[in-house]
Amino acid sequence: MTTPPATPPSTIEKIETGVPGLDILTYGGVPRGRATLITGKSGTCKSILGLQIAAHQAQLGRPALLLTAEEEPDDFRITGNALGLNVSDLCERRLLHIANVATPMEGPTMVLGEFDVTGLIHRIEQAVRQYQIQVLVLDSTTALFSHPTSQAELRAQFFQLIYALRRLSLTAIIISEAPSDYGPLTTLGVEDFVCDMVLVLRNVIDGERRRRSLEVHKYRRSPHYKGQFPCTMTSRGLTVFPLDAQGRERVRPTERYSSGIPGLDAMNNGGWIRDAIVLVRGPSGSGKTTLAGMYARAGALRGERVIYYGFEETKLMLLRNFGSLGMAMEEFEQAGNLRVVCRYPEATSPEDMLVDIRNGLDQFRPSLVVLDSISSVEHSTSPLGFRQFMIGLASLLREHGRSALLIETVSAIDDPKVEAPFLSTIPDVILLLDHRWQGKHRLRTIRVHKMRGSAHDMEEHVLTIVPGGLRVDPLARD
């Protein structure tokens, strides 16, 4: 069980959005009885976010009205049902109402006279009286105010609309189009001035991929997380990653568990500390994946649940290679103690991988997690994307209280250029594997670089691949 971060005092009442991660960024959700603006370019998931919030409020028994000026109501129903939001059921129970306020007429359309929002306000007032509406989503003001008009008149009409919504005590979600990712917040240029909170969604090209982000641009009378935070579309809608380790009610007393290698346990003063993140760093061929396999197998032998994420080999090849070393894994999979998930990072995104890992932690509830290797993730994204992935991963592991083994491939142990500066601060333990030629033989070595909260052996030891995995022995000194 987790607890939310300490919430700074706020002078306004909030309602939770139900969007994973968003309520953390906003310290509780959107302002009740006030207007929130969601803005961004096309393809940033503005409409999905609005639909998620409306459906969540309806599920909680707060009748919601979604007024669309761009899509047909049936399109929202189909989308919401596909995302598991039960939109059709909510509509049948009259908890969610979806209506089109800008249905085009057949043939040419002529606009005469001054534009006036009075008719729209009357329609909203009628819905409030008839269905006791508490939450309104308007998608979008860009389409609704698309007719030519002066900036002064546009501002006056929008002020009139917002204050009418406030008079009706409606929690309003206003969706608008942005002309660019970084620049004016909306194409109309007036919405952000009168809304109490502004959420900016972006979907920018980062390297060779697009990366989604969400920013709380402003929140009147309330603290909020600052900056852009990664988000992604999942089969359940939009998910935001706060990149912050949520606190647990308590941390378990110091408990040690075996790495699966007796000699390594001796180096670690009796084993690794439970809930620690261990980073195993070394060049190709130094024994990293074999060590990861022994770690996973030892946990399964103890009856623990283990998830092994492989990013460099297919599952069949990985299990075959483990089996050839006398480390058969199939029996643990069949018993339900081990889950092996292999997928190339290039086929997905760092944000989607975090979603998969979160789902694995929530559903399978493993005590041990292996990622082999984080270097593959690093090579498939930008430096910013990798940094956010690692911070998000560490946050998930800390929040769920899980032990983890992370594999990193480097060209040389002592080359500072191969290491992301932030990476050494994330793990609790750093284990260095290396190999060098000693005469005609290759000598593999292992040493503990750091281990928080514990004494440990600082000496270099010999690492040998043997039937059954690895063996650690003291290094002979001349």
Side-chain angles (χ1 to χ4, degrees):
M1 180 177 180
T2 61
T3 56
T7 304
S10 176
T11 60
I12 60 174
E13 186 179 358
K14 302 180 181 182
I15 58 175
E16 294 182 353
T17 64
V19 178
L22 180 56
D23 295 328
I24 295 175
L25 298 185
T26 57
Y27 286 103
V30 297
R32 182 191 291 272
R34 299 280 179 157
T36 294
L37 174 66
I38 299 176
T39 183
K41 290 179 62 179
S42 176
T44 53
C45 296
K46 302 185 297 297
S47 296
I48 295 293
L49 180 55
L51 180 60
Q52 279 182 261
I53 295 174
H56 181 71
Q57 299 310 311
Q59 291 279 11
L60 295 177
R62 301 186 184 109
L65 172 63
L66 194 160
L67 294 178
T68 169
E70 296 179 305
E71 296 186 61
E72 290 298 322
D74 282 345
D75 293 334
F76 277 98
R77 292 189 186 97
I78 294 171
T79 300
N81 292 337
L83 294 173
L85 301 177
N86 300 320
V87 169
S88 292
D89 177 66
L90 293 170
C91 290
E92 290 177 3
R93 293 162 55 195
R94 304 178 78 82
L95 288 169
L96 177 62
H97 306 268
I98 306 176
N100 192 331
V101 294
T103 303
M105 300 175 61
E106 294 184 3
T109 300
M110 298 182 64
V111 178
L112 301 175
E114 296 292 334
F115 176 80
D116 192 350
V117 296
T118 304
L120 175 62
I121 293 173
H122 288 335
R123 185 169 182 175
I124 295 171
E125 289 174 336
Q126 181 182 359
V128 171
R129 288 193 300 268
Q130 185 174 358
Y131 305 116
Q132 290 76 52
I133 297 299
Q134 298 181 33
V135 178
L136 170 72
V137 176
L138 181 58
D139 185 11
S140 69
T141 57
T142 306
L144 191 64
F145 293 88
S146 59
H147 62 285
T149 187
S150 69
Q151 190 74 5
E153 179 62 21
L154 183 64
R155 181 184 291 264
Q157 294 288 338
F158 197 77
F159 268 62
Q160 183 182 350
L161 173 63
I162 294 299
Y163 282 108
L165 301 180
R166 184 176 299 178
R167 173 173 51 82
L168 294 169
S169 299
L170 288 174
T171 301
I173 307 297
I174 308 297
I175 296 175
S176 187
E177 191 83 11
S180 61
D181 289 307
Y182 300 95
L185 292 179
T186 68
T187 55
L188 301 179
V190 297
E191 302 98 313
D192 54 305
F193 292 104
V194 293
C195 292
D196 284 62
M197 182 167 75
V198 177
L199 300 177
V200 181
L201 294 172
R202 298 185 178 93
N203 187 17
V204 300
I205 295 178
D206 184 15
E208 298 179 353
R209 293 175 178 266
R210 284 195 174 272
R211 298 186 63 254
R212 298 184 188 276
S213 67
L214 183 145
E215 177 186 2
V216 183
H217 179 75
K218 82 169 186 180
Y219 201 153
R220 287 184 182 141
R221 297 172 297 279
S222 173
H224 57 273
Y225 282 42
K226 312 308 191 290
Q228 299 181 70
F229 293 86
C231 60
T232 189
M233 264 299 298
T234 73
S235 61
R236 307 292 293 182
L238 195 70
T239 292
V240 186
F241 298 94
L243 303 181
D244 191 10
Q246 305 307 304
R248 285 182 282 155
E249 290 184 345
R250 61 181 181 274
V251 178
R252 72 183 78 188
T254 300
E255 172 193 340
R256 294 184 183 269
Y257 67 100
S258 174
S259 65
I261 309 172
L264 179 56
D265 291 343
M267 294 175 64
N268 293 334
N269 198 32
W272 282 324
I273 297 176
R274 185 67 69 176
D275 298 352
I277 298 175
V278 179
L279 176 65
V280 180
R281 177 180 289 157
S284 179
S286 57
K288 302 184 301 299
T289 296
T290 303
L291 188 149
M294 294 187 70
Y295 173 92
R297 194 170 189 273
L301 276 169
R302 292 192 298 267
E304 299 185 49
R305 288 190 172 187
V306 186
I307 287 188
Y308 192 116
Y309 292 99
F311 299 139
E312 297 182 338
E313 299 177 83
T314 65
K315 180 177 177 178
L316 289 176
M317 291 181 62
L318 185 68
L319 295 180
R320 181 204 64 184
N321 293 340
F322 285 150
S324 66
L325 287 172
M327 299 160 49
M329 300 286 195
E330 288 80 2
E331 61 180 295
F332 302 111
E333 272 202 303
Q334 295 171 3
N337 294 102
L338 175 66
R339 179 179 293 179
V340 179
V341 181
C342 292
R343 190 177 187 186
Y344 293 121
E346 288 78 7
T348 180
S349 70
E351 294 79 19
D352 288 332
M353 282 188 279
L354 288 177
V355 171
D356 291 341
I357 293 170
R358 173 188 282 167
N359 290 339
L361 293 173
D362 289 337
Q363 298 167 12
F364 189 62
R365 297 185 177 276
S367 56
L368 305 180
V369 180
V370 177
L371 271 72
D372 181 15
S373 73
I374 60 171
S375 302
S376 296
V377 180
E378 180 180 15
H379 299 156
S380 69
T381 187
S382 67
L384 175 61
F386 179 60
R387 176 183 174 85
Q388 291 186 337
F389 171 80
M390 289 303 303
I391 295 173
L393 172 65
S395 299
L396 288 175
L397 294 171
R398 304 295 190 199
E399 178 182 342
H400 287 78
R402 299 295 182 260
S403 305
L405 184 79
L406 315 179
I407 300 297
E408 181 191 13
T409 301
V410 297
S411 57
I413 288 296
D414 297 323
D415 184 359
K417 296 180 181 179
V418 304
E419 179 187 333
F422 67 90
L423 196 54
S424 292
T425 64
I426 292 177
D428 303 286
V429 182
I430 296 181
L431 194 64
L432 301 182
L433 274 59
D434 205 354
H435 54 69
R436 60 179 181 268
W437 288 102
Q438 192 175 62
K440 297 182 179 181
H441 303 282
R442 176 174 292 183
L443 179 69
R444 289 185 174 88
T445 61
I446 182 172
R447 61 187 170 94
V448 182
H449 181 66
K450 81 168 186 178
M451 189 172 182
R452 288 177 181 148
S454 173
H456 56 276
D457 193 333
M458 297 288 290
E459 296 293 328
E460 190 176 53
H461 285 60
V462 176
L463 186 68
T464 308
I465 298 179
V466 297
L470 299 172
R471 188 181 75 232
V472 175
D473 299 296
L475 181 65
R477 303 295 177 183
D478 296 333

